Amino acid sequence: MIRLPDATGALRPYDPRRTAAPPAPGPPPASRTLFAAAHVVADPFGNTTPYGPAGLDWEATLAFRRHLWAHGLGVAEAMDTAQRGTGLDWPAAAELVRRSAAEARAVGGRLVCGAGTDQLTPPYGGLEAVTAAYEEQLAVVEAAGARAVLMGSRALAALATGPEHYEEVYGRLLRQTAAPVILHWLGPMFDPALKGYWGSTDVDAATGTLLRIVAAHPDKVDGVKVSLLDAGHERELRRRLPPGVRCYTGDDLHYPGLVEGDGHGHSDALLGVLDPLGPLAAHAVRRLDHGDRQGFRALLDPTVELARHLFAPPTRCYKTGIVLLAWLAGHQGHFAMVGGLHAARPLPHLARAYELADALGLFPDPEAAEARMAALLAVHGVER
């Protein structure tokens, strides 16, 4: 028995499960592509303050990627889940890309990597500087042998005065990429600095700009990742994409229905919530491979409550709960994050994340998870 605090500070008893049977490793699903945006493991004896530069535990970080590949997931590397722009600087991200690419080659794992402009600091200069920063990061990703995800640029969002600037910058980049890329539309709930991306705060107008860019370069766009947490908008967008261009859901609140799809198509997935849910999600999609839609939803629908808790406002702090669950599941030996983000969520939020994950059977060793949660509570003055 363990006592968990609620938002008022009141303590209530919780009886954790005693056994769990997490899914066994398996091959990649056939009917949907799943990329887990993976977190990084901080070096607990290094710099975990907000002042950087980031220090990583490289072996634990890469071991977690091997865990995801073993369960049939692809890895989306150096994305916002890896704390790009919130603790992970570009030199560390570049090293992460190179090391993960080498691991992916060794195990035959699928990998895409984020390329952005986060080496720039205000004042950003002009559009030429933004384009050059993208080109620098694209060169690192492509030299590593990985496919690129063109991430949203805070610098471009700050400098662009209309959609034509997005069309100019992305057009130049797409004309020179070595292989088709994924375009990422990250909403302001994840990064407030990206408000008005694609040149407008009107979602329909912004969608039109994105679709024009894709239509002008369909052979250079593998897909579009949409992280707006608006399932209706995503369904409409994916219907308007050119044939052969995928829609990767970045919607960590509505993913079961979007991945299942409808009569007009489905979304593949590139999700931060697949960091803790990856093995279960891959197991569910393998059911979908065999036409078992009911079995797919029976496995994934119960996970939505946890996902909505992890991604509750302020949504950009979701990484804290994800790293907590990785620690509780035994994927790393501590609960510390680069940039000091282990302090970004209050204790009751972390306690509820533990409870929901335990109820889902996400911890391979529930007793070890309970012991670690009890230790965290004790540090905060909550005795058993």
Side-chain angles (χ1 to χ4, degrees):
M1 187 71 69
I2 190 172
R3 294 194 301 164
L4 301 178
D6 64 20
T8 70
L11 298 176
R12 56 184 176 78
Y14 174 68
D15 189 12
R17 65 166 58 228
R18 293 289 167 248
T19 60
S31 61
R32 307 288 188 273
T33 298
L34 300 181
F35 285 108
H39 76 283
V40 292
V41 182
D43 176 0
F45 306 110
N47 195 333
T48 57
T49 72
Y51 308 107
L56 299 186
D57 180 335
W58 288 108
E59 177 50 38
T61 294
L62 296 174
F64 187 73
R65 281 128 183 88
R66 293 193 291 269
H67 154 74
L68 293 171
W69 284 318
H71 283 274
L73 290 101
V75 170
E77 188 56 276
M79 302 286 292
D80 50 295
T81 305
Q83 296 184 241
R84 289 292 292 272
T86 56
L88 187 73
D89 52 32
W90 167 237
E95 183 65 15
L96 180 62
V97 167
R98 287 188 282 264
R99 291 186 184 226
S100 289
E103 292 287 332
R105 287 192 295 273
V107 303
R110 191 168 186 177
L111 181 73
V112 295
C113 298
T117 66
D118 50 327
Q119 70 270 54
L120 300 178
T121 56
Y124 294 115
L127 297 182
E128 288 292 333
V130 172
T131 305
Y134 266 127
E135 289 170 341
E136 177 189 355
Q137 296 202 13
L138 275 169
V140 170
V141 172
E142 292 180 345
R147 178 162 292 188
V149 180
L150 284 185
M151 302 173 67
S153 165
R154 293 174 179 173
L156 182 55
L159 294 170
T161 58
E164 64 277 4
H165 288 153
Y166 291 88
E167 295 180 59
E168 175 186 343
V169 170
Y170 278 86
R172 288 179 59 180
L173 296 171
L174 290 172
R175 283 191 291 272
Q176 61 183 290
T177 55
V181 303
I182 298 172
L183 303 182
H184 188 188
W185 187 356
L186 189 68
M189 67 289 293
F190 289 97
D191 187 344
L194 299 181
K195 183 178 181 180
Y197 213 72
W198 309 115
S200 178
T201 56
D202 180 87
V203 174
D204 290 338
T207 301
T209 302
L210 172 61
L211 288 170
R212 286 196 300 275
I213 292 170
V214 174
H217 310 276
D219 59 325
K220 289 299 188 77
V221 180
D222 169 71
V224 175
K225 168 174 156 55
V226 191
S227 300
L228 298 183
L229 306 184
D230 184 336
H233 173 266
E234 181 175 321
R235 291 188 185 95
E236 179 61 27
L237 172 61
R238 76 187 182 198
R239 293 171 190 170
R240 298 172 64 186
L241 290 171
V245 176
R246 299 171 181 264
C247 181
Y248 291 94
T249 187
D251 189 329
D252 299 276
L253 307 184
H254 307 102
Y255 50 92
L258 291 165
V259 171
E260 179 185 15
D262 54 30
H264 300 282
H266 67 267
S267 296
D268 293 293
L270 198 165
L271 290 165
V273 78
L274 293 182
D275 184 297
L277 295 182
L280 180 60
H283 180 56
V285 175
R286 284 192 283 269
R287 295 235 180 137
L288 203 56
D289 291 347
H290 295 94
D292 184 5
R293 291 178 175 267
Q294 184 176 356
F296 166 80
R297 294 301 291 261
L299 286 170
L300 271 199
D301 283 352
T303 69
V304 171
E305 185 178 7
L306 171 62
R308 294 192 173 193
H309 178 75
L310 294 174
F311 287 80
T315 303
R316 61 187 179 276
C317 296
Y318 74 90
K319 309 161 192 80
T320 302
I322 280 177
V323 173
L324 171 83
L325 297 184
W327 173 55
L328 296 176
H331 295 298
Q332 57 194 77
H334 61 83
F335 177 45
M337 298 173 67
V338 296
L341 282 191
H342 46 277
R345 291 290 202 186
L347 186 63
H349 177 93
L350 302 179
R352 180 62 175 159
Y354 159 72
E355 181 180 5
L356 291 170
D358 180 67
L360 290 169
L362 295 186
F363 303 131
D365 186 340
E367 291 189 359
E370 178 189 355
R372 287 187 168 187
M373 191 67 212
L376 180 64
L377 291 166
V379 168
H380 289 80
V382 180
E383 300 298 337
R384 299 195 71 149

